[in-house]
Amino acid sequence: MVMLSDPPLRGSATITGVFFDRSRDIAAVASEFPLLVNPRARAAYGGQALRYRVALYRRGESAPFAAFDGLRFPVNDVAFHPTQSVVAIGAGSYDGGYLFEGEFIAWDWRGGRHARFFGDIPEVARCAYDADGNGITAWVRPWDEEWEGLPDTPDAAFNTLYRVHVPYGDATWSGAAARVLALSGRDIAPAEEAPPVAAPAPGALLAQWLGLDSLEQRGAIHDVAWLDGDRVAVTHRGCLLEIHHTGGGPAVRYAGDGYGSQIILSAGVYVHAAAPAERSSPGWTQDSQLYRLTEDGLELVQAYQGELAFSASAGGALLGRMNRYPPAAQARDLLRDLHSGRELRVDLGHYDCFNHHIRIDGAPWLFALQGTPASSHENKYLCIVHAEGGIQRLWPVLKADGKPASHAMELSGCYLDDARGPGIVIGGRHYAPDARGACAGFIYRKRLDKNETL
């Protein structure tokens, strides 16, 4: 087996913090996994189980020997118990408007158990075990920006920490109801107990600990494609396109504004990049760029305002669905002939990244999802999109019976033509009102010429 990319530290995403035990033989690495959005014209409605992680590494080993994934907020601090296989994790963040939300957890990595010290707690900025291990102190933010008793100073809510001390022992793991936290002015900690403002970058600390000049980090791969028998192309947040050779050696990397999102193999090799918006718009809005891979590198074909999700036919027809959530004035979809460069703007109906995304490449036709009516996200049909923008409805994705499970989301599909004739395999998720419940999905194959499941 050929490893195209073997990072010096496996099992972590974007590293946000590193914390060592007293002997510095174990490192606790905090990392954040990005939301499953690629680009924001496609998203995972059901969320994802893995958002924040604390992984434990021994010096000289690239793979973690234990990991804790049951966190809801970014990790700010990790404290090692002086004698036991236990760490305390302090996490939390400002909600952007009023509240400081957090969690305070003890994790026994050998026993595979964890406990929350409090049912609710504001953001935990720091934590530390007592020298004997029988207690632990957490330094927390106030509950909100207007918390009673804050000092009368500018930005007091952001510059004030409260000291909270709790016992640690067998009772921590008893399963009893978590404590209720009360904060008062008597608990305000001295300013010198705040975390250091100019802390070393976690990547630099890890590189030093691992004995490396630097620590290379790469985000999740968004798309992958074979260019030929020896070359594999990938896109990720760190570049527009990266090409690896199965024989080894350094990868060829193409950089630019934004990041590569999709690799399109039709009438050549194209790359769809998500780029920062170049117009007055909310900070989270992106635009789309289409590049073509040539002998001289990546060549910009066209830049588009708005978030597009592309699919392509085998014959060189390209369809771009424009994200309409949040609503965009005069949003239009795109049809492009990759051979001639001719473009046509069409309106195939409402498109939002949770309901209408489907990518079927390499078929004789272009495919799209359309609600009933076209302005809706309900009762979706799979459709063929013709060259001049005409749309031919094939069959409903799920039988509409008025129940939530008849609402299809997060769809994927592929075209195939074999002894049973041309058809589509399509899979997705059944919508459930409670997104926290177990995910239920479906997958089936249907003929193109009739609503018949094979």
Side-chain angles (χ1 to χ4, degrees):
M1 181 177 68
V2 176
M3 292 291 293
L4 295 180
S5 177
D6 193 8
L9 205 69
R10 304 178 188 174
S12 294
T14 301
I15 295 173
T16 58
V18 57
F19 314 90
F20 301 100
D21 69 343
R22 293 186 179 182
S23 66
R24 291 183 68 85
D25 290 330
I26 298 176
V29 177
S31 60
E32 181 175 339
F33 289 77
L35 291 171
L36 299 177
V37 181
N38 173 31
R40 278 185 286 262
R42 177 199 188 269
Y45 173 80
Q48 62 194 87
L50 182 53
R51 193 73 174 92
Y52 304 101
R53 163 176 282 183
V54 172
L56 302 180
Y57 298 82
R58 292 190 175 91
R59 189 191 298 272
E61 298 180 1
S62 62
F65 66 86
F68 181 69
D69 297 331
L71 294 159
R72 298 169 295 173
F73 298 103
V75 175
N76 294 324
D77 200 8
V78 176
F80 284 83
H81 191 279
T83 59
Q84 299 179 17
S85 61
V86 176
V87 294
I89 303 172
S93 61
Y94 177 58
D95 75 346
Y98 187 63
L99 301 174
F100 295 91
E101 303 170 294
E103 51 194 338
F104 189 27
I105 294 173
W107 170 43
D108 178 357
W109 73 76
R110 284 204 182 101
R113 56 184 178 171
H114 71 278
R116 298 181 184 272
F117 289 105
F118 297 93
D120 288 297
I121 193 170
E123 177 186 357
V124 181
R126 279 188 60 201
C127 57
Y129 275 99
D130 298 347
D132 58 9
N134 294 326
I136 185 168
T137 300
W139 287 263
V140 307
R141 307 283 183 198
W143 285 105
D144 55 58
E145 287 190 59
E146 300 176 358
W147 187 247
E148 185 177 354
L150 285 171
D152 186 17
T153 57
D155 297 324
F158 297 89
N159 298 321
T160 302
L161 293 177
Y162 293 78
R163 190 192 293 124
V164 177
H165 188 270
V166 293
Y168 171 79
D170 291 339
T172 301
W173 311 102
S174 66
R179 299 176 179 84
V180 176
L181 176 63
L183 299 178
S184 73
R186 297 187 302 273
D187 302 320
I188 293 178
E192 58 267 22
E193 295 184 9
V197 176
L205 285 174
L206 271 175
Q208 183 183 34
W209 186 70
L210 293 167
L212 302 172
D213 294 333
S214 61
L215 184 68
E216 181 178 358
Q217 298 184 57
R218 179 190 51 71
I221 288 176
H222 293 155
D223 205 1
V224 60
W226 286 94
L227 301 184
D228 51 42
D230 300 315
R231 295 182 302 158
V232 178
V234 299
T235 56
H236 58 77
R237 290 254 174 189
C239 63
L240 298 177
L241 184 70
E242 202 169 72
I243 300 176
H244 298 261
H245 198 283
T246 56
V252 178
R253 180 176 294 182
Y254 300 98
D257 291 338
Y259 61 90
S261 172
Q262 295 176 277
I263 302 170
I264 301 161
L265 302 181
S266 180
V269 179
Y270 291 81
V271 176
H272 169 213
E278 297 182 357
R279 62 190 189 283
S280 177
S281 60
W284 43 262
T285 299
Q286 290 179 329
D287 287 334
S288 298
Q289 295 176 346
L290 186 66
Y291 290 86
R292 186 174 186 271
L293 182 63
T294 70
E295 293 182 354
D296 298 322
L298 282 181
E299 174 186 283
L300 180 63
V301 175
Q302 190 67 48
Y304 304 99
Q305 286 193 358
E307 299 167 355
L308 290 164
F310 286 111
S311 58
S313 73
L318 183 71
L319 170 64
R321 296 299 317 271
M322 177 69 70
N323 191 16
R324 291 163 171 81
Y325 184 82
Q330 298 180 337
R332 306 280 284 179
D333 302 305
L334 169 75
L335 285 170
R336 182 183 180 94
D337 186 321
L338 292 174
H339 294 288
S340 67
R342 176 178 176 265
E343 284 193 356
L344 180 67
R345 287 288 183 166
V346 297
D347 186 359
L348 302 180
H350 179 72
Y351 178 96
D352 72 66
C353 53
F354 307 116
N355 287 284
H356 299 84
H357 173 83
I358 193 167
R359 182 183 179 186
I360 299 176
D361 288 340
W365 308 277
L366 294 169
F367 293 90
L369 291 178
Q370 190 179 74
T372 307
S375 59
S376 171
H377 63 278
E378 298 180 320
N379 192 14
K380 290 184 279 287
Y381 275 70
L382 183 69
C383 305
I384 289 177
V385 181
H386 296 291
E388 299 302 320
I391 195 158
Q392 173 188 346
R393 288 196 161 203
L394 297 177
W395 27 260
V397 175
L398 292 175
K399 182 180 179 181
D401 58 9
K403 297 179 181 178
S406 68
H407 187 80
M409 309 193 75
E410 300 180 31
L411 291 161
S412 295
C414 71
Y415 170 83
L416 72 169
D417 191 357
D418 56 17
R420 307 183 77 177
I424 294 288
V425 174
I426 191 168
R429 173 189 171 102
H430 293 288
Y431 169 74
D434 183 2
R436 297 168 297 179
C439 175
F442 60 90
I443 183 169
Y444 58 79
R445 173 179 174 173
K446 283 191 177 182
R447 296 170 56 102
L448 278 180
D449 57 352
K450 60 180 67 175
N451 185 7
E452 177 185 317
T453 301
L454 299 180

